[in-house]
């Protein structure tokens, strides 16, 4: 017995010295102290009056689950731009099926019906500018859209994004925007670009995004998506307006944590998970994302207490935060009511995520 204990001690010492990730996981194997959870619950409830849920899974086990302000397990939330990260996975599934073209493919090769040159019209104003725009537009690739580097003159959550949502054809609206930068050069968060990517993806998979997701992602994960709104052309809005329960958001997060696998089934290739969460855009600061360190294919990246995290982020405080070396997934939702403070709720929630990932709270 003593020799076995000695062997276990030596093994743990070696793992601690040479495998820092194992050290991190071991530090989090204990349950949260009641004193901490009571204080945490009180503070987050007081700090975020729009809070609906805050759920933490570690090592495939729920270690904290809190529903607030009338929410419960059955409450369905608008997950806002978390939708974008789900669309990223749909692109990966399409790649696994060998139907997604090379990401350097110009989007107008996929949507040629929108490739109408304005130089064919006579006597139009600023014809030189429009011809130049058309030339730049033809260089816009799927990769540019996936990494928010489309180059369009765009301000998120502004009158221009509202105008797009009211447009008779939002895809045409985005493609007709002037360019502020050359595609592929500058990061500028743009939900219009995601909608354009979604339209291209739907054409690639030859069905609407909701149907493709239902067959290849939601059904295998046993996720219920009762609603995914469409634009005026009946296209699912790729950048937002999907509705889901927090527990289903958690299933999605666990699938990402497990490199595309859940319940013994590979939903999307581990290669795509690694590629899509990698740093494709250098981004070392973002106003509501402390510790930001890059952007992937519709995935935010940040450090929380030194641990790399990948975050699906939605307006008003909808988050799925995956922290691989802690084997942890954190899900948050907020009600989109008059108590919601918009984007600033995201920063507040990251403060509480950072509280949850501090190792010293597990040592009591």
């Amino acid at each position: 017995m003593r020799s076995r204990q000695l062997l276990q001690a030596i093994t743990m010492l070696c793992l601690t010295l040479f495998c820092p990730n194992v050290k991190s996981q071991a530090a989090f194997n204990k349950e949260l102290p009641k004193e901490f959870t009571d204080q945490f619950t009180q503070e987050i409830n007081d700090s975020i009056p729009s809070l609906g849920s805050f759920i933490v899974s570690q090592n495939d086990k729920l270690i904290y689950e809190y529903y607030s302000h009338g929410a419960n397990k059955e409450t369905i939330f608008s997950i806002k731009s978390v939708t974008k990260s789900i669309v990223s996975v749909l692109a990966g599934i399409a790649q696994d099926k060998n139907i997604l073209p090379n990401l350097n493919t110009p989007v107008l090769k996929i949507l040629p019906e929108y490739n109408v040159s304005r130089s064919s019209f006579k006597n139009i104003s600023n014809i030189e500018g429009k011809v130049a725009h058309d030339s730049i537009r033809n260089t816009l690739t799927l990769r540019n859209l996936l990494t928010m580097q489309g180059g369009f003159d765009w301000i998120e959550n502004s009158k221009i994004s509202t105008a797009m949502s009211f447009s008779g054809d939002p895809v045409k609206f985005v493609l007709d925007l002037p360019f502020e930068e050359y595609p592929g050069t500058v990061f500028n968060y743009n939900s219009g670009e995601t909608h354009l990517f979604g339209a291209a993806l739907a054409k690639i998979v030859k069905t609407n995004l909701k149907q493709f997701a239902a067959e290849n992602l939601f059904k295998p994960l046993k996720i219920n998506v009762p609603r995914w709104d469409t634009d005026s052309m009946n296209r699912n809005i790729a950048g937002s307006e999907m509705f889901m329960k927090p527990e289903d958001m958690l299933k999605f997060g666990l699938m990402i944590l497990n490199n595309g696998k859940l319940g013994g089934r590979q939903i999307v290739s581990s290669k795509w998970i690694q590629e899509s969460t990698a740093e494709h855009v250098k981004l070392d600061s973002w106003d509501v994302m402390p510790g930001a360190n890059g952007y992937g294919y519709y995935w935010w990246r940040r450090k929380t207490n030194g641990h790399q995290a990948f975050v699906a982020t939605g307006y008003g405080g909808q988050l799925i935060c995956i922290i691989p070396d802690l084997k942890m997934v954190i899900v948050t939702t907020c009600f989109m009511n008059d108590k919601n403070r918009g984007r600033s709720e995201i920063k507040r929630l990251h403060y509480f995520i950072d509280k949850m990932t501090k190792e010293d709270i597990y040592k009591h």
Side-chain angles (χ1 to χ4, degrees):
M1 179 64 73
R2 286 182 180 177
S3 61
R4 181 184 296 177
Q5 289 173 338
L6 180 60
L7 180 61
Q8 289 174 341
I10 291 170
T11 302
M12 285 306 298
L13 178 61
C14 291
L15 289 172
T16 299
L17 289 172
F18 302 110
C19 302
N21 285 354
V22 173
K23 179 183 176 182
S24 296
Q25 292 168 28
F28 284 79
N29 278 338
K30 297 179 182 178
E31 292 185 0
L32 289 168
K34 185 177 185 302
E35 182 182 352
F36 169 81
T37 57
D38 289 348
Q39 184 178 346
F40 182 92
T41 300
Q42 184 65 51
E43 186 180 356
I44 196 171
N45 198 57
D46 292 343
S47 299
I48 306 177
S50 66
L51 183 71
S53 67
F54 195 105
I55 303 171
V56 184
S57 170
Q58 196 255 333
N59 286 331
D60 293 323
K61 178 184 176 184
L62 280 178
I63 62 170
Y64 182 82
E65 185 178 22
Y66 177 61
Y67 297 94
S68 182
H69 303 109
N72 57 47
K73 285 178 178 287
E74 299 303 312
T75 305
I76 294 167
F77 291 87
S78 171
I79 64 173
K80 307 308 282 184
S81 289
V82 169
T83 307
K84 292 179 173 71
S85 301
I86 293 173
V87 167
S88 174
V89 168
L90 296 182
I93 293 170
Q95 185 181 78
D96 294 342
K97 292 177 178 291
N98 295 315
I99 56 176
L100 184 75
N102 186 292
L103 293 180
N104 294 320
T105 302
V107 69
L108 287 178
K109 293 284 187 184
I110 300 162
L111 300 171
E113 61 270 30
Y114 290 100
N115 193 11
V116 178
S117 173
R118 283 167 291 195
S119 62
S120 58
F121 302 110
K122 295 180 179 180
N123 302 319
I124 62 171
S125 65
N126 190 20
I127 188 168
E128 295 85 0
K130 291 183 173 68
V131 169
H133 170 96
D134 290 346
S135 177
I136 296 170
R137 188 172 65 177
N138 276 288
T139 71
L140 180 68
T141 67
L142 294 174
R143 188 183 307 278
N144 298 153
L145 298 175
L146 264 173
T147 57
M148 298 291 186
Q149 295 184 102
F152 292 107
D153 188 355
W154 175 277
I155 299 173
E156 187 75 2
N157 299 321
S158 69
K159 289 182 179 179
I160 197 163
S161 51
T162 302
M164 183 203 80
S165 67
F166 275 82
S167 167
D169 185 348
V171 168
K172 183 177 186 301
F173 182 96
V174 173
L175 284 167
D176 283 345
L177 289 171
F179 286 93
E180 189 173 36
E181 307 285 351
Y182 284 102
T185 59
V186 176
F187 176 88
N188 181 29
Y189 189 79
N190 181 341
S191 290
E193 290 181 7
T194 311
H195 193 57
L196 175 54
F197 179 84
L201 182 60
K203 190 161 186 183
I204 289 163
V205 301
K206 298 180 180 179
T207 186
N208 65 68
L209 293 183
K210 187 176 182 182
Q211 182 64 32
F212 184 75
E215 293 173 0
N216 296 283
L217 180 63
F218 301 151
K219 187 176 179 181
L221 291 180
K222 297 178 180 173
I223 285 175
N224 177 40
V225 177
R227 176 179 163 191
W228 187 359
D229 291 352
T230 63
D231 68 6
S232 49
M233 299 287 286
N234 203 31
R235 297 187 185 99
N236 291 111
I237 299 170
S240 189
E241 306 315 309
M242 185 185 291
F243 292 75
M244 198 179 286
K245 296 176 186 177
E247 65 178 8
D248 287 336
M249 296 168 69
L250 180 62
K251 289 177 188 176
F252 178 78
L254 289 170
M255 184 268 294
I256 300 295
L257 178 66
N258 293 315
N259 281 308
K261 195 173 187 178
L262 196 68
R265 178 171 178 178
Q266 195 74 41
I267 307 298
V268 63
S269 66
S270 60
K271 178 178 178 291
W272 180 263
I273 298 298
Q274 298 301 319
E275 181 181 346
S276 62
T277 57
E279 182 185 34
H280 292 280
V281 178
K282 185 174 176 58
L283 190 72
D284 56 13
S285 67
W286 195 249
D287 61 337
V288 296
M289 183 81 61
N293 70 335
Y295 191 79
Y297 297 160
Y298 301 146
W299 282 100
W300 297 89
R301 294 164 48 91
R302 70 170 295 240
K303 288 289 186 77
T304 170
N305 292 307
H307 303 288
Q308 182 64 59
F310 310 121
V311 192
T313 302
Y315 183 85
Q318 330 307 324
L319 302 173
I320 304 174
C321 182
I322 296 110
I323 310 156
D325 67 351
L326 300 182
K327 299 294 182 185
M328 185 177 285
V329 178
I330 300 176
V331 168
T332 76
T333 59
C334 289
F335 290 102
M336 297 304 299
N337 54 27
D338 57 1
K339 293 179 180 178
N340 191 296
R341 291 162 290 192
R343 294 178 70 250
S344 64
E345 300 290 40
I346 296 169
K347 188 172 184 177
R348 289 182 181 88
L349 284 161
H350 279 298
Y351 164 81
F352 287 99
I353 287 172
D354 290 348
K355 274 181 170 287
M356 195 60 74
T357 60
K358 281 183 180 175
E359 293 188 20
D360 60 358
I361 66 172
Y362 296 82
K363 295 176 181 177
H364 298 291

